[in-house]
Amino acid sequence: MPHTDNHLTRRVFRRGPVAETRRVVELLRREAVGGFLLVGAAITAIVMANSPAADLYQRFRDTRIGYEPWHLELTVGQWASDGLLAIFFFLVGLELKRELVAGQLRSARAAIVPVFAAVGGVIAPAVLYLAINWGHEGVDGWAIPTATDIAFAVAVLAVVGRGLPASLRLFLLTLAVVDDLIAIAIIAVVYTEKVNLTPLLAATVPVAVFGILAHRYADWFALRRWAAWAVLLPLGVVAWALVHASGIHATIAGVALGFMIPVRRGGSGLAEQFEHRFRPISAGFAVPAFAFLSAGVAVGGLTGLGEVFTDPVALGILIGLVIGKPVGILAATWLTVRFTRSALDPSVRWADLTCVGVLAGIGFTVSLLVTELSLTADSTTLEHGKTAVVIASALAAVLAGAVLALRNRRGKQAAATRSILP
């Protein structure tokens, strides 16, 4: 057991600085709104895909637009996953840099728990998926259940998890950021079949110019809203198009550009300005549009659901997200606390961490993206994989909501008991 002497141990999940806590609370509030829009878009897509409008929905999703000589003649669905999600990943890159420069990841002591928890939350689902699918054609989908959808998770948190300690909200955010970083690396390395070096090397030029201008004229871009649209956006579009032409998933360009934005410690800078400007676009349009175009799977009634639950790919996703995620996060957190001679802060209980672990099982956005990248060989398997992601995310949300609601009820009962005691 870890030491409990206050002089020998350090507390993990302690409440952070007031400014950082306020920033996280505001960020989670905005993510919660986006999460509700995301869920609404996904439900609409599922209803349409299983209604008389299914053919119209499919034709719209498969409509091809764009300029073929530049390798940009894509379906509407591909424009959503390759283009719109680049906005989401731009904010992921921006948030990752903020965490490294001014957040929890700045300090190795503070970062060790969420980083190892995120790693555990990636390894356990992947192992469970591989154990179920080893020797089957769907083995390439092992990364599908490794992702966490922060917007969807925070939407659940906003409804029933307001009593959760602020430190755990920050932990969930940091864990999701590290989780997204791992997912980005997997997408770039594992799901890139062939790399064309010429456009990839060419992409470094607009990315570098983007970074130089963002740093040198940060105040100018912060004060004049039109400047970023007129100067930085064209550079970003060129970088995105070149990365797309290279064969690497184009959302990686969004991460690289987000990492180019300067972050100012302890004050409002360009990163803060861009987050305020672009998060509503991402949460209010880009991610819900992707969810609408990706989550529309034809269930096919009870027979179709029966086929899903007997497909090893779907089972691997379901078990990976609903069981693997919380088990991996809790195990990694316990081992980290155990072997770093640490103790949980008195305001945090293992039951609270279990809630966070179950919430992290909501994969959705990035899981759907990885499904589309990994299960392209067979359309039936692809549909089963997407259905499993939707069901697993919904199940994780319901389980987390139930656990959080039970926790809140017990907390209120304990408070009422204390108030009537002499």
Side-chain angles (χ1 to χ4, degrees):
M1 294 295 291
H3 293 282
T4 56
D5 190 324
N6 290 333
H7 297 289
L8 297 178
T9 58
R10 66 183 184 89
R11 298 287 184 184
V12 295
F13 303 114
R14 296 182 67 177
R15 186 180 182 90
V18 174
E20 178 67 6
T21 301
R22 287 176 178 170
R23 184 186 76 81
V24 170
V25 169
E26 175 61 22
L27 175 58
L28 293 180
R29 185 185 64 79
R30 293 196 298 270
E31 288 283 10
V33 175
F36 290 122
L37 293 174
L38 169 68
V39 173
I43 292 173
T44 303
I46 294 169
V47 170
M48 287 193 67
N50 293 275
S51 72
D55 288 341
L56 176 64
Y57 172 82
Q58 190 65 42
R59 285 199 303 272
F60 173 70
R61 187 168 64 179
D62 294 339
T63 299
R64 302 186 71 87
I65 54 177
Y67 190 55
E68 174 56 31
W70 291 354
H71 305 286
L72 292 177
E73 186 182 12
L74 309 174
T75 66
V76 173
Q78 288 173 325
W79 275 110
S81 64
D82 291 15
L84 291 180
L85 276 194
I87 302 172
F88 166 78
F89 278 103
F90 171 79
L91 288 165
V92 169
L94 184 61
E95 187 59 35
L96 176 62
K97 185 171 182 180
R98 287 190 62 169
E99 287 292 326
L100 288 168
V101 174
Q104 251 199 327
L105 297 180
R106 181 185 66 207
S107 165
R109 288 174 62 86
I112 188 170
V113 176
V115 168
F116 275 91
V119 172
V122 168
I123 292 175
V127 169
L128 287 173
Y129 182 96
L130 287 171
I132 295 170
N133 284 274
W134 197 258
H136 296 278
E137 292 183 359
V139 70
D140 290 341
W142 60 268
I144 296 171
T146 62
T148 295
D149 190 311
I150 184 62
F152 198 156
V154 167
V156 177
L157 199 63
V159 175
V160 290
R162 295 180 181 179
L164 208 61
S167 58
L168 280 186
R169 294 166 181 261
L170 177 59
F171 171 70
L172 176 62
L173 175 63
T174 308
L175 183 148
V177 169
V178 177
D179 195 297
D180 285 338
L181 175 62
I182 297 172
I184 291 161
I186 291 172
I187 290 170
V189 175
V190 178
Y191 298 118
T192 299
E193 295 181 359
K194 182 180 179 181
V195 177
N196 188 338
L197 288 178
T198 300
L200 182 61
L201 292 174
T204 62
V205 176
V207 171
V209 174
F210 182 100
I212 291 169
L213 293 176
H215 278 263
R216 186 172 181 82
Y217 302 104
D219 292 338
W220 186 63
F221 286 119
L223 292 173
R224 295 168 176 80
R225 288 181 173 269
W226 61 267
W229 298 98
V231 179
L232 296 182
L233 179 61
L235 289 169
V237 171
V238 172
W240 175 89
L242 289 170
V243 171
H244 182 274
S246 74
I248 295 176
H249 200 268
T251 52
I252 305 301
V255 179
L257 293 169
F259 218 74
M260 292 293 105
I261 303 300
V263 173
R264 182 181 299 169
R265 286 191 190 180
S268 179
L270 188 59
E272 290 79 7
Q273 290 288 329
F274 276 15
E275 186 176 318
H276 282 289
R277 294 180 198 176
F278 299 124
R279 192 167 295 281
I281 299 174
S282 173
F285 173 68
V287 175
F290 167 76
F292 174 75
L293 292 165
S294 296
V297 289
V299 177
L302 293 176
T303 302
L305 282 176
E307 292 177 357
V308 169
F309 287 114
T310 56
D311 189 329
V313 167
L315 286 175
I317 294 169
L318 285 163
I319 294 173
L321 282 173
V322 177
I323 298 175
K325 266 290 183 182
V327 168
I329 289 170
L330 284 171
T333 302
W334 184 86
L335 288 171
T336 305
V337 171
R338 174 69 176 83
F339 289 103
T340 57
R341 300 166 61 90
S342 304
L344 295 183
D345 191 76
S347 64
V348 175
R349 296 174 296 178
W350 283 105
D352 298 330
L353 282 170
T354 302
C355 295
V356 173
V358 177
L359 275 170
I362 302 174
F364 212 76
T365 302
V366 180
S367 290
L368 284 173
L369 175 61
V370 176
T371 302
E372 293 183 351
L373 294 175
S374 60
L375 302 179
T376 56
D378 182 74
S379 60
T380 301
T381 303
L382 176 61
E383 291 298 301
H384 287 176
K386 285 187 174 184
T387 304
V389 169
V390 173
I391 293 173
S393 297
L395 183 57
V398 171
L399 289 173
V403 174
L404 286 166
L406 180 62
R407 176 194 180 279
N408 293 342
R409 189 183 313 120
R410 287 181 176 176
K412 289 179 181 178
Q413 288 173 349
T417 301
R418 288 194 299 269
S419 67
I420 62 176
L421 288 175

